[in-house]
């Protein structure tokens, strides 16, 4: 490995000044192996002990929940919020944080990430951020929990789950899992049941794109929707027509368009809208709730709006790249710059992002994720001669909270309470972990951020905490800064320094039958009773 590469990697971790080992999930030897492996990253303090206070008083800030905001104090004891009210009195042993003039909000929950994921079967191997670096980055940006997509191993959900339990042992914040379904048989159906009833998974993702890799057909989607409904699990879809994308890709190659711009040209909004509409209609036919991941276009958003207007239970998740970027980067003459923007569905032409922001502000789309799925420029260069081989994915886990604040709250598009709803609370509600997560209420987990609206943030790959050497938001300067992140009752981000605890993150089991399932059986009953009685026909006499 070259000196420059080492230096770059070291830079990635200059913000991480100490890793305090809490061996809650890992064995001592496994953790030390991890520490040793990170010595090249300028990490100091492996093997230290956690000395941070277990009692914290957050004083005088504006405490914001999705339903209400007020000036109050928040008292944290042993990782849990013990009290929220004005003028809480405490003893000397408590760490006091003065938050006058600042917002005290639930930590962000990112519903959509891919850490340490093998993807697209190329030499690019795995996404560059694992459960440690991805989560460290998240904490530096005010996100305190995420839900990652487990990939099955050879179609086996149990093996996939096992593999992700291993990967997640490095965690420094809480996390949950969605499960991806890539094939169908009785074993998969049985394993879905185990995932829900024993493993704490309440959502399954179906890819309608990535033909020949993870794409499934309508027959499988229907089976999956039926199974999800019976288990009270939420069906999620990646909505693009994979057959048509395949055709679009061939068309671009025949035209000699092999660069990153060919990626966007091969899979226009039309194909996203078709798959979104199809998935919505099939979910409506089965009568089960549906969650559309990474809504990237006006066309797809309008399909969701139409269905919701008709009363269908459809959730739309835009991601921050789709909200704040446009496709111009894909035409950059520098391959490295253009390739870093390649994700699916593609980042769209100017106009889509603003329309998606409006849809979020009006409640047509309900929560904002990232689809954090980072590949560095070496990995992206695998597709230098053919855009089809560029691993798909962009960063965002560290940037989401700042960018949504800057583009939506600082600009006056949404209220601060709505900010909490779309970055945290709604995710907790949909995945059935509210109010343990997503709220600042007595009894909730002490995952809290303190945001100064008068301070500013700046994004650069030189200072971010992801392991990637690029950042799709490079150079962005905006208003509002997460000055403090508290996770599980510990201050992990303060004065631009991270003090994260390796292995301290817990797996959060998510129970089935969220609020979207309430009363769903009544629609089934009324459907059955709406059917006209079958006609009794007499056989004609011979
Ligand atoms: O380009 C993307 N979105 N990569 C991650 C995998 C997915 O489709 O969510
Ligand atoms: Zn996807
Ligand atoms: Zn994704």
């Amino acid at each position: 490995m070259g000196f420059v590469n080492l230096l770059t990697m070291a830079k990635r971790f200059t913000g991480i000044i100490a890793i305090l080992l809490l061996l809650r999930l890992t064995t001592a030897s496994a953790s030390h192996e991890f520490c040793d492996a990170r010595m090249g990253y300028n990490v100091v303090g492996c093997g230290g002990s956690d000395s941070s206070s277990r009692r914290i008083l957050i004083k005088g800030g504006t405490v914001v929940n999705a339903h209400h905001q007020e000036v109050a104090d928040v008292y944290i004891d042993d990782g849990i919020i013990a009290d929220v009210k004005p003028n809480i009195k405490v003893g000397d042993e408590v760490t006091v944080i003065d938050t006058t003039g600042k917002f005290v909000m639930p930590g962000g929950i990112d519903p959509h990430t891919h850490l340490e994921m093998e993807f697209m079967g190329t030499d690019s191997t795995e996404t560059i951020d694992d459960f440690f670096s991805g989560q460290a980055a998240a904490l530096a940006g005010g996100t305190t929990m995420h839900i990652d997509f487990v990939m099955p191993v050879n179609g086996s959900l149990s093996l996939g789950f096992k593999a992700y339990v291993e990967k997640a042992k490095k965690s420094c914040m809480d996390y949950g899992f969605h499960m991806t379904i890539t094939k169908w048989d009785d074993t998969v159906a049985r394993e879905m049941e185990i995932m829900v009833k024993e493993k704490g998974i309440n959502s399954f993702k179906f890819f309608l794109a990535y033909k020949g890799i993870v794409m499934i057909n309508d027959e499988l989607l229907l089976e999956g929707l039926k199974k999800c409904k019976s288990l009270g699990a939420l069906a999620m879809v990646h909505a693009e027509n994979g057959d048509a994308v395949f055709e679009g890709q061939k068309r671009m190659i025949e035209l000699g368009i092999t660069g990153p711009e060919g990626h966007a040209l091969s899979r226009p909004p039309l194909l996203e809208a078709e798959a979104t509409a199809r998935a919505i209609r099939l979910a409506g036919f089965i009568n089960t709730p549906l969650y559309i991941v990474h809504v990237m276009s006006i066309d797809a958003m309008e399909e969701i709006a139409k269905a919701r207007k008709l009363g269908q239970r459809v959730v739309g998740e835009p991601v921050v790249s789709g909200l704040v970027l446009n496709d111009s980067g894909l035409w950059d003459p520098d391959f490295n710059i253009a390739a870093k923007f390649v994700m699916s569905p593609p980042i769209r032409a100017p106009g889509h992002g603003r329309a998606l922001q409006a849809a979020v502000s009006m409640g047509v789309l309900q929560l904002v994720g990232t689809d954090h799925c980072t590949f560095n420029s070496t990995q992206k260069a695998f597709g230098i001669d053919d855009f089809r081989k560029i691993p798909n994915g962009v960063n965002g886990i560290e940037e989401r909270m700042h960018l949504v604040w800057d583009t939506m709250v600082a600009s006056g598009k949404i209220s601060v309470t709505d900010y909490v709803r779309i970055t945290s609370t709604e995710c907790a509600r949909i995945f059935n972990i509210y109010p343990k997560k997503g709220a600042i209420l007595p009894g909730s987990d002490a995952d809290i951020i303190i945001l100064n609206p008068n301070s500013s943030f700046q994004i650069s790959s030189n200072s971010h905490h992801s392991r990637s050497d690029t950042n799709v938001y490079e150079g962005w300067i905006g208003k509002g800064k997460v000055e403090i992140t508290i996770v599980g009752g510990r201050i992990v981000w303060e004065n631009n320094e991270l003090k994260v605890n390796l292995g301290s993150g817990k797996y959060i089991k998510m129970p089935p039958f969220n609020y979207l399932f309430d009363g769903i059986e009544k629609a089934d009953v009324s459907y059955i009773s709406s059917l006209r009685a079958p006609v009794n026909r007499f056989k004609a006499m011979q």
Side-chain angles (χ1 to χ4, degrees):
M1 184 178 300
F3 175 70
V4 175
N5 278 350
L6 269 175
L7 204 66
T8 313
M9 285 197 291
K11 265 199 298 182
R12 303 279 161 268
F13 276 75
T14 46
I16 303 176
I17 63 154
I19 293 179
L20 306 170
L21 285 176
L22 280 185
L23 304 179
R24 296 216 327 229
L25 293 176
T26 52
T27 63
S29 64
S31 293
H32 282 107
E33 274 166 33
F34 178 78
C35 271
D36 294 345
R38 292 294 174 278
M39 282 311 177
Y41 293 90
N42 199 18
V43 170
V44 193
C46 256
S49 65
D50 183 14
S51 60
S52 59
S53 168
R54 305 298 288 147
R55 291 188 186 144
I56 299 172
L57 181 69
I58 304 172
K59 210 166 173 41
T62 301
V63 178
V64 189
N65 278 298
H67 61 285
H68 179 65
Q69 69 179 66
E70 63 173 333
V71 174
D73 299 345
V74 180
Y75 181 52
I76 298 168
D77 190 0
D78 203 20
I80 302 291
I81 296 171
D83 209 353
V84 184
K85 66 182 183 193
N87 299 317
I88 298 174
K89 301 278 177 275
V90 291
D92 290 344
E93 75 289 1
V94 176
T95 302
V96 179
I97 309 170
D98 179 7
T99 55
T100 310
K102 300 177 187 176
F103 291 106
V104 180
M105 301 185 280
I109 309 176
D110 189 339
H112 187 156
T113 61
H114 303 276
L115 300 180
E116 212 173 324
M117 176 182 69
E118 279 175 44
F119 193 50
M120 291 181 70
T122 65
D123 284 357
S124 55
T125 62
E126 290 177 341
T127 53
I128 197 82
D129 280 322
D130 62 16
F131 277 79
F132 179 73
S133 67
Q135 294 185 352
L139 291 168
T143 286
T144 53
M145 181 183 167
H146 70 115
I147 313 179
D148 209 82
F149 287 89
V150 173
M151 297 300 275
V153 172
N154 300 325
S156 161
L157 312 194
S158 311
L159 291 180
F161 184 81
K162 208 164 146 213
Y164 271 71
V165 166
E166 275 309 304
K167 292 178 197 216
K169 283 184 174 168
K170 318 176 182 76
S171 288
C172 50
M173 70 188 210
D174 291 355
Y175 58 94
F177 289 146
H178 314 285
M179 175 64 71
T180 310
I181 302 296
T182 54
K183 68 169 202 177
W184 192 258
D185 56 27
D186 289 347
T187 309
V188 171
R190 249 193 328 273
E191 286 195 312
M192 281 176 75
E193 220 161 305
I194 295 169
M195 292 302 130
V196 173
K197 293 181 178 162
E198 295 173 24
K199 305 297 186 192
I201 287 180
N202 68 4
S203 49
F204 295 92
K205 179 178 180 183
F206 302 87
F207 282 95
L208 306 186
Y210 300 111
K211 185 173 173 150
I213 306 173
V214 286
M215 181 175 127
I216 53 108
N217 60 22
D218 288 353
E219 186 185 358
L220 194 158
L221 179 60
L222 283 163
E223 292 296 345
L225 290 168
K226 280 193 289 179
K227 193 70 193 174
C228 279
K229 181 181 183 181
S230 72
L231 294 170
L234 189 56
M236 311 172 85
V237 289
H238 172 129
E240 287 182 289
N241 185 315
D243 287 317
V245 167
F246 189 73
E247 181 59 30
Q249 290 174 329
K250 271 200 307 196
R251 205 186 275 175
M252 289 308 123
I253 297 295
E254 279 161 20
L255 289 169
I257 303 172
T258 58
E261 66 280 14
H263 176 77
L265 294 171
S266 68
R267 44 208 310 156
L270 171 75
L271 305 188
E272 189 188 345
E274 186 280 331
T276 304
R278 180 162 37 104
I280 287 173
R281 281 159 178 73
L282 294 182
F285 178 61
I286 301 298
N287 185 30
T288 195
L290 182 68
Y291 182 111
I292 312 282
V293 301
H294 47 44
V295 178
M296 297 296 279
S297 63
I298 295 173
D299 314 53
M301 177 268 286
E302 284 179 344
E303 294 296 340
I304 294 167
K306 213 159 60 185
R308 287 177 63 86
K309 216 164 135 190
L310 292 170
Q312 194 173 334
R313 297 168 191 212
V314 182
V315 173
E317 169 216 79
V319 290
V320 69
S321 52
L323 288 178
V324 309
L325 299 175
N326 65 52
D327 64 351
S328 55
L330 287 163
W331 272 262
D332 196 286
D334 181 335
F335 173 86
N336 283 335
I337 293 177
K340 75 179 176 179
F341 292 101
V342 169
M343 67 168 287
S344 295
I347 296 165
R348 304 298 187 184
H352 287 269
R354 213 142 357 102
L356 294 175
Q357 287 177 29
V360 169
S361 69
M362 299 307 293
V364 171
L365 303 174
Q366 291 71 45
L367 73 171
V368 179
T370 63
D371 198 5
H372 184 85
C373 182
T374 42
F375 296 97
N376 65 17
S377 39
T378 309
Q379 294 173 305
K380 290 271 183 182
F382 190 69
I384 190 133
D385 297 319
D386 183 344
F387 67 83
R388 294 172 298 183
K389 294 183 181 159
I390 300 171
N392 289 194
V394 302
N395 63 291
I397 202 167
E398 184 168 358
E399 296 81 10
R400 177 184 69 132
M401 297 296 280
H402 282 121
L403 290 169
V404 173
W405 182 275
D406 186 37
T407 54
M408 309 263 323
V409 184
S411 69
K413 289 192 176 81
I414 60 169
S415 64
V416 184
T417 49
D418 277 348
Y419 173 78
V420 168
R421 177 175 55 77
I422 65 173
T423 58
S424 183
T425 310
E426 191 53 28
C427 182
R429 289 185 69 228
I430 289 170
F431 295 101
N432 230 358
I433 48 173
Y434 180 86
K436 175 182 170 66
K437 301 287 185 188
I440 300 190
L441 294 171
S444 299
D445 284 358
D447 295 347
I448 294 173
I449 58 171
I450 293 154
L451 185 142
N452 184 348
N454 299 315
S455 195
S456 61
F457 69 91
Q458 184 160 5
I459 298 174
S460 167
S461 61
N462 292 321
S463 55
H464 71 197
H465 299 82
S466 159
R467 287 204 185 114
S468 180
D469 57 348
T470 65
N471 191 312
V472 289
Y473 310 103
E474 187 68 41
W476 192 298
I477 298 173
K479 278 206 94 163
K481 169 113 172 66
V482 175
E483 292 185 335
I484 294 177
T485 305
I486 296 171
V487 70
R490 288 191 188 81
I491 300 169
V492 293
W493 171 251
E494 192 178 19
N495 302 321
N496 291 321
E497 286 177 359
L498 265 175
K499 294 177 183 167
V500 290
N501 302 319
L502 175 76
S504 62
K506 295 184 298 299
Y507 176 58
I508 303 295
K509 285 188 163 189
M510 300 182 290
F513 293 103
N514 70 9
Y515 75 92
L516 293 164
F517 285 85
D518 287 353
I520 208 143
E521 69 290 344
K522 293 192 181 122
D524 286 335
V525 171
S526 74
Y527 164 73
I528 296 290
S529 56
S530 76
L531 299 177
R532 292 174 63 185
V535 179
N536 272 330
R537 291 192 177 80
F538 298 103
K539 284 228 171 99
M541 301 290 280
Q542 295 289 332

